[in-house]
Amino acid sequence: QVQLMESGGGSVQAGGSLRLSCQFSGIPLRLNGMRWYRQAPGRKRGMVAAITTGGSSDYAVFVEGRFTISRDNAKDMVDLQMNHLRFGTAAVYYCTTVYNGCWIWGQGTQVTVSG
């Protein structure tokens, strides 16, 4: 059974940084591409960043070079380093992967950015 668990969320002032982590279990992380999504209150869940099994990454347009997704296959962990966080971008951040044709999601971690 594949399970994901996010951590590292919290409150930060605008311009600050946070590092989110996603612990992967059930099968070796190296077999899966991974993504981070976020969902703000009243909004649809949207992709933030993605990383392939080979380590190639892709980002949503709004990231504008401020975030970095990385993976450590030895630790079965995927991180999202977020810098220059903007005021008003409170959201729950989720890590996700596709396994046996199904999307698997973690429980999410809350990020709040204050002015």
Side-chain angles (χ1 to χ4, degrees):
Q1 182 180 0
V2 174
Q3 290 185 318
L4 306 173
M5 181 170 293
E6 303 91 340
S7 62
S11 296
V12 64
Q13 288 197 324
S17 299
L18 280 175
R19 188 176 185 89
L20 306 183
S21 294
C22 175
Q23 185 69 57
F24 185 97
S25 63
I27 62 171
L29 174 64
R30 60 181 173 79
L31 300 178
N32 277 59
M34 299 292 295
R35 297 183 181 190
W36 284 96
Y37 275 66
R38 72 178 188 180
Q39 187 169 21
R43 305 288 296 271
K44 287 185 177 181
R45 197 173 294 189
M47 197 197 82
V48 177
I51 189 165
T52 67
T53 55
S56 298
S57 57
D58 191 22
Y59 299 92
V61 171
F62 76 83
V63 170
E64 296 180 336
R66 298 175 296 124
F67 298 177
T68 302
I69 188 171
S70 60
R71 63 190 297 151
D72 186 335
N73 291 337
K75 295 182 179 179
D76 288 331
M77 189 167 289
V78 175
D79 288 350
L80 182 67
Q81 176 68 42
M82 304 188 295
N83 300 325
H84 305 295
L85 285 164
R86 294 172 177 163
F87 172 68
T89 56
V92 179
Y93 282 72
Y94 299 90
C95 63
T96 184
T97 191
V98 177
Y99 178 67
N100 283 346
C102 296
W103 287 87
I104 310 297
W105 298 87
Q107 83 289 347
T109 186
Q110 175 73 46
V111 172
T112 302
V113 184
S114 58

